[in-house]
Amino acid sequence: MKGLIGKKVGMTQVYDEKGILIPVTVIEAGPCVVVGVKTKEHDGYSAVQVGFGVKKVKNTSKAVLGNVKKAGLESNPPAFIREFRSEEDPQAEIGSQIKADIFAEGEYLDISGTTKGKGYAGVMKRHHFAGGRDGHGGGWHRKPGSIGCREKPGNIMKGKKLPGQLGNGNRTVQNLRIVRVSADENLLFVRGAVPGPNGGTLLVKKAKKR
């Protein structure tokens, strides 16, 4: 499977050949360095490990430094390492670079990222509960209401919608079309929005359902 690690630059607008305005997200896709190659014969599955960004050596574990040594990156280890599986053994060589030009205009992508964290939220903000009445003595206009479950089973059912952490979770948006590819700058212009804030790390993969 074709894939890259990238960074969300931000959103803008571009015009297509018909003059139609298209909202796009700009993604800095790569360059990514191949730090490992998995084969079915040796590892039981086929995949490529790629690294993106730069991290200080003092903040990197010895396990990671040993993993990227073959690629010659022990002095400037990558900040992010991810693995992209494929059905056939990959032809990539350790130490080689993968850039945005592996994708072409018109292709569709699945893009994963971490959504913006919004702290601890109640049920009205987190799950869009209606809440209770404001007047006539009602003192619970932002409360969830009863959560009990009678005598049987006598406990709160799994999956009950309650207050808790809002955002800061991994999300994938599928089938986003590439509007433009800037190979020189390693930029992808993708129609629509992707998860996370500007500067957030993204996994960019070829769409599964296309």
Side-chain angles (χ1 to χ4, degrees):
M1 174 181 285
K2 289 196 296 185
L4 279 173
I5 308 172
K7 182 175 73 174
K8 181 178 177 180
V9 178
M11 291 198 72
T12 185
Q13 299 169 330
V14 298
Y15 289 93
D16 65 4
E17 62 277 0
K18 297 180 181 178
I20 298 174
L21 191 65
I22 302 173
V24 295
T25 301
V26 184
I27 301 171
E28 182 185 335
C32 296
V33 182
V34 178
V35 297
V37 177
K38 306 285 187 179
T39 61
K40 290 182 180 178
E41 182 180 356
H42 187 268
D43 303 285
Y45 67 99
S46 301
V48 176
Q49 279 186 350
V50 298
F52 176 74
V54 180
K55 193 176 184 179
K56 291 182 179 179
V57 176
K58 68 175 184 177
N59 296 334
T60 307
S61 67
K62 290 183 178 179
V64 172
L65 290 175
N67 189 32
V68 301
K69 190 173 182 180
K70 290 183 180 179
L73 299 175
E74 62 271 19
S75 60
N76 53 344
F80 302 95
I81 297 177
R82 296 294 184 272
E83 199 169 270
F84 296 94
R85 293 202 178 197
S86 60
E87 295 183 0
E88 299 179 357
D89 287 348
Q91 304 300 319
E93 296 182 1
I94 295 177
S96 61
Q97 284 192 340
I98 304 175
K99 299 183 178 181
D101 56 9
I102 65 169
F103 296 111
E105 184 178 324
E107 285 191 76
Y108 287 83
L109 303 174
D110 292 343
I111 300 178
S112 303
T114 303
T115 58
K116 294 179 182 180
K118 299 179 181 179
Y120 189 88
V123 289
M124 291 182 71
K125 185 172 182 180
R126 190 182 184 204
H127 299 298
H128 312 294
F129 278 27
R133 64 189 184 189
D134 291 331
H136 296 283
W140 53 282
H141 65 284
R142 295 196 69 88
K143 294 180 181 179
S146 174
I147 61 173
C149 202
R150 297 189 182 183
E151 186 176 355
K152 183 179 180 181
N155 59 355
I156 300 172
M157 301 292 284
K158 276 190 176 183
K160 175 67 179 171
K161 293 179 179 179
L162 290 172
Q165 171 70 44
L166 179 60
N168 195 34
N170 189 50
R171 294 291 181 273
T172 300
V173 181
Q174 295 182 320
N175 300 326
L176 296 175
R177 181 169 60 87
I178 299 176
V179 176
R180 189 179 299 169
V181 178
S182 179
D184 297 336
E185 301 172 300
N186 280 310
L187 296 178
L188 297 176
F189 294 77
V190 179
R191 182 186 179 103
V194 301
N198 294 345
T201 304
L202 301 170
L203 293 186
V204 182
K205 302 178 185 178
K206 184 179 178 181
K208 279 187 176 182
K209 298 180 179 178
R210 282 279 178 173

